[in-house]
Amino acid sequence: MIDCRAIKKTFHMGSASLEALRGVDLLVKAGEFISIMGPSGSGKSTLMNIIGCLDTPSAGTYDLDGRAVAGMSFDQLAEVRNRKIGFVFQNFNLLPYATAAENIELPMLFNGKSARQRRRRVEELLQQVGLLEWRQHRPSELSGGQQQRIAIARALANDPPILLADEPTGNLDSQSGEEIMAIFSGLWRQGHTVIMVTHDAGVAAHSQRTVSLLDGRVVT
Amino acid sequence: MALKLLPFYLGEFKKRRRKTALITFAIAWGSLSILLLMSFGRGLSTQFRVAFRGLGDNLVMLSGGQSSVVYQGLPKGRRLRLYAADIALLRATIPEIEFICAESYNNEAISANGKETNRNVHGVGPLFDLMRSQVPAAGGRFLNPDDERHSRRVAFLGWKVAENLFGAEPPVGRQIMINRTPFTVVGVLKEKMQDSMYQGPDAEQVYVPFATYAQVNSQPYVDRIHIQPRSREVSLRVEERARAVLGRKYRFDSADKYALNAWNTIRDAEEVGKIFSGIEIFLTMIGALTLLIAAVGVTNLMYALAKERTREIGIKLAMGARRRHIVTQFVLETAFIFFQGILWGVLLAFNIVSLVRTIPLNYDNFGIESYLTRPVFSLDILLLFLTIMGALVFMAGIFPAVRASRLNPVEALRYE
Ligand SMILES: Nc1ncnc2c1ncn2[C@@H]1O[C@H](COP(=O)(O)OP(=O)(O)OP(=O)(O)O)[C@@H](O)[C@H]1O
Ligand SMILES: [Mg+2]
């Protein structure tokens, strides 16, 4: 399903350039739960962004469901992000001015779902993450754990097969972190493919297998 | 269709209204200033033209003078008089004349209603009212051709004369004595602005039919002959021809401006026109410079506002927003902001102009306020303003939209 081969990513900052990924191979089958670990700066987020089609590799190939991502246009990538991938960030990345319900609705706005469909799905998801009574609250009125649950609900809005989470528990206390991990485990059991970046071996223990990065390379 | 998301865009715009309020206010303020500048500028020049036309529009007024050069052996300093017969001569020889009439005047003792005063009484020919902007106030009329034909003893009063003699009472139908001869008042001049005159403002004059005047006043010549040319374009030609015709008849050099005075309002109007062109260019320049500053300020504010949204754009892109969703939102937001600001500016300007126009004019003593209290907010001003604002909207909206369209998701999400 996810097939990365010899992925390289180089960042150019003025005259200096930085090789964040130096040839990464990664194969993830549908329904797998994978954790990615590695020290800070090893390229975990960079790899996640590429898998999530937020960024494109400088070299190497990435096939998603048998289609080469390299040839896709900006809007085609947007469509992939919209339908196939749910992204959960360490810092939640919720729209600060929008309510919980409006944040969850966001991905559905970009694929032509009717207002009625959107409302029903938002309701469903709020229920699923146990925040129905918080639907009209803004992110600033929610705890970190609650915000991350809203972010997960948002990632699920279009029911994508793949969930990508970049240190989803990194900003949370251990109690909230446990709750979030329970949600991800549940989603995996329901059939989602889950790829998660973490620093925490306890968190990684929830996954089927762990990929370790060091200086932009996979180490095993 | 991207417009399916209009409720979403509107919703986001509403939530962010506090942030856009400053820009809206700036646009409203700028619009108001520009519109008032244009309206008051237009009103100023309109009022000058109105006042100028208080005397008459497209009028050549002839009166006799004294020759200042020797001509065909005749000495200079000869007095030239015009006679009623000249009217037929001029009409016969100059086809470009539309209307022509004579006027004579003399200071007479006038009494009515137990009051006495001295005023210029003018004998005027038919159509004098058309040529000299003599509009009767409601309830009265000007002298008509029947009055002339039958030498009726009827009089038309300037409004200050009427006020003087009759106070608040209606003068129409009342009798006045002019030099101990009774006349019936048929009308009173409607109040008007007038900034040029020969025997004082029309408000202070008394008019009677020329034929009637000739009976009570034995003066053989006429004081003035008024000519209205067929069009403004032939005005100077008519004046020239009148000089030639009369020069031949009375034997003076037609180039001698002192022998025959010809007051041509078209020539004056051209002078005034130049002054107002100057004033309007000046105001337009001030407006343009003000707008330029405003445009730079607003563009800057819009850009800052757009930058502030970089992270939001990153989030939306990560959630699958297409480029058109982002750009449409920016374009619409710019449109909303400007629409609100412009609407406020236009409404305020319209109301201020309307309010100022209700300030009553004092026709007896019109000073600078008569020129400043009649701003004009016309359609062409609105259209010019909207055109300029259109350019401004484009300028202020294009940079943020282009920047937004070039953002890539990762960079946008990393933006602080
Ligand atoms: N957009 C960018 N421009 C320039 N350099 C970047 C960019 N993104 C990442 N880098 C650099 O690439 C390297 C890898 O970054 P990355 O964010 O992938 O690390 P990470 O493993 O996620 O680290 P952390 O655990 O701190 O999140 C780092 O040195 C980082 O500074
Ligand atoms: Mg990272």
Side-chain angles (χ1 to χ4, degrees), chain A residues 74 81-82 93 97 102, chain B residues 12 15 311 317 319 323:
Chain A
F74 188 94
R81 292 195 292 271
N82 188 240
N93 274 336
Y97 51 82
E102 286 164 342
Chain B
E12 290 222 322
K15 288 187 209 294
R311 253 183 98 79
L317 287 174
M319 296 302 136
R323 207 158 246 164

Side-chain angles (χ1 to χ4, degrees), chain B residues 34-35 38-39 42 291 342 346 376-391:
Chain B
I34 296 306
L35 285 171
M38 292 204 275
S39 297
R42 175 67 58 84
L291 261 187
I342 289 173
V346 168
V376 176
F377 188 5
S378 60
L379 189 66
D380 64 312
I381 287 180
L382 185 66
L383 289 179
L384 176 65
F385 163 76
L386 288 179
T387 310
I388 297 170
M389 289 314 271

Side-chain angles (χ1 to χ4, degrees), chain A residues 38-206:
Chain A
S40 184
S42 56
K44 305 183 295 292
S45 296
T46 306
L47 180 60
M48 285 293 267
N49 290 340
I50 288 171
I51 295 171
C53 293
L54 289 169
D55 212 347
T56 46
S58 313
T61 59
Y62 169 25
D63 289 354
L64 179 63
D65 288 338
R67 274 189 72 196
V69 167
M72 291 189 191
S73 70
F74 188 94
D75 278 358
Q76 282 171 327
L77 289 172
E79 174 147 9
V80 171
R81 292 195 292 271
N82 188 240
R83 292 183 186 274
K84 292 197 175 171
I85 293 163
F87 221 114
V88 177
F89 303 89
Q90 178 174 359
N91 58 356
F92 323 131
N93 274 336
L94 297 172
L95 296 176
Y97 51 82
T99 63
E102 286 164 342
N103 267 294
I104 295 172
E105 190 185 11
L106 191 65
M108 294 187 278
L109 289 169
F110 305 125
N111 61 17
K113 283 208 177 68
S114 75
R116 170 95 77 43
Q117 286 173 308
R118 297 200 301 260
R119 214 172 314 123
R120 193 169 329 122
R121 180 75 179 137
V122 167
E123 203 91 338
E124 216 172 272
L125 289 162
L126 277 165
Q127 206 125 37
Q128 197 175 331
V129 297
L131 290 174
L132 197 55
E133 60 274 36
W134 296 88
R135 61 183 357 140
Q136 294 305 335
H137 290 257
R138 275 157 220 274
S140 57
E141 295 157 1
L142 302 175
S143 73
Q146 288 173 322
Q147 289 186 56
Q148 196 59 301
R149 279 192 272 162
I150 295 297
I152 292 170
R154 179 179 66 181
L156 293 169
N158 287 327
D159 201 18
I162 302 168
L163 290 176
L164 302 180
D166 191 348
E167 296 190 50
T169 59
N171 280 11
L172 303 178
D173 58 84
S174 54
Q175 159 89 35
S176 307
E178 281 301 321
E179 287 169 18
I180 296 300
M181 283 317 299
I183 294 176
F184 273 109
S185 297
L187 289 168
W188 168 57
R189 269 190 292 277
Q190 284 168 27
H192 285 95
T193 308
V194 179
I195 303 176
M196 181 179 292
V197 169
T198 183
H199 279 296
D200 185 338
V203 168
H206 285 86

Side-chain angles (χ1 to χ4, degrees), chain B residues 176-382:
Chain B
I176 63 168
M177 304 295 282
I178 300 176
N179 208 0
R180 272 163 285 165
T181 309
F183 281 74
T184 305
V185 177
V186 293
V188 175
L189 177 62
K190 187 169 182 263
E191 294 188 334
K192 66 176 178 180
M193 286 180 79
Q194 180 187 5
D195 69 352
S196 349
M197 52 204 73
Y198 40 89
Q199 293 288 312
D202 293 354
E204 299 276 15
Q205 315 297 315
V206 175
Y207 300 93
V208 301
F210 189 82
T212 318
Y213 180 88
Q215 286 176 352
V216 299
N217 195 304
S218 55
Q219 174 182 304
Y221 53 88
V222 300
D223 287 309
R224 283 172 184 273
I225 290 177
H226 303 295
I227 298 173
Q228 178 128 56
R230 283 199 196 286
S231 70
R232 298 163 157 269
E233 289 67 39
V234 299
S235 183
L236 291 173
R237 210 177 114 65
V238 166
E239 178 189 330
E240 203 179 298
R241 298 265 285 129
R243 283 185 181 286
V245 168
L246 295 173
R248 210 175 310 122
K249 177 174 176 186
Y250 296 114
R251 297 178 70 192
F252 64 88
D253 183 352
S254 63
D256 186 355
K257 303 279 187 236
Y258 296 95
L260 180 71
N261 300 312
W263 182 355
N264 190 329
T265 61
I266 290 296
R267 195 183 294 123
D268 287 5
E270 266 169 18
E271 292 297 315
V272 174
K274 275 178 207 155
I275 294 170
F276 281 103
S277 300
I279 291 176
E280 289 203 30
I281 290 170
F282 178 67
L283 287 179
T284 309
M285 267 170 53
I286 293 177
L289 289 175
T290 312
L291 261 187
L292 192 71
I293 294 165
V296 170
V298 167
T299 304
N300 209 19
L301 283 171
M302 291 290 291
Y303 194 67
L305 200 68
K307 266 189 137 162
E308 223 177 75
R309 309 195 62 181
T310 306
R311 253 183 98 79
E312 293 166 26
I313 294 171
I315 293 171
K316 285 175 190 165
L317 287 174
M319 296 302 136
R322 316 293 194 269
R323 207 158 246 164
R324 65 166 188 279
H325 294 127
I326 305 294
V327 174
T328 306
Q329 180 159 22
F330 268 91
V331 169
L332 282 179
E333 198 165 285
T334 308
F336 290 150
I337 290 173
F338 272 83
F339 179 76
Q340 285 193 334
I342 289 173
L343 193 68
W344 275 111
V346 168
L347 286 179
L348 269 173
F350 181 77
N351 281 302
I352 289 175
V353 165
S354 303
L355 195 72
V356 168
R357 285 183 68 93
T358 61
I359 297 173
L361 287 189
N362 178 2
Y363 287 98
D364 295 345
N365 174 27
F366 57 89
I368 188 71
E369 75 280 0
S370 331
Y371 295 96
L372 290 180
T373 55
R374 287 298 175 273
V376 176
F377 188 5
S378 60
L379 189 66
D380 64 312
I381 287 180
L382 185 66

Side-chain angles (χ1 to χ4, degrees), chain A residues 9-13 17-21 36-49 55 90 166-167 197-199 213 215-216, chain B residues 408 410-411 414:
Chain A
K9 181 70 185 180
T10 312
F11 292 108
H12 301 275
M13 293 155 294
S17 66
L18 192 146
E19 280 205 299
L21 296 177
I36 299 176
M37 294 189 77
S40 184
S42 56
K44 305 183 295 292
S45 296
T46 306
L47 180 60
M48 285 293 267
N49 290 340
D55 212 347
Q90 178 174 359
D166 191 348
E167 296 190 50
V197 169
T198 183
H199 279 296
L213 283 186
D215 282 339
Chain B
N408 94 24
V410 175
E411 277 170 37
R414 284 169 65 101

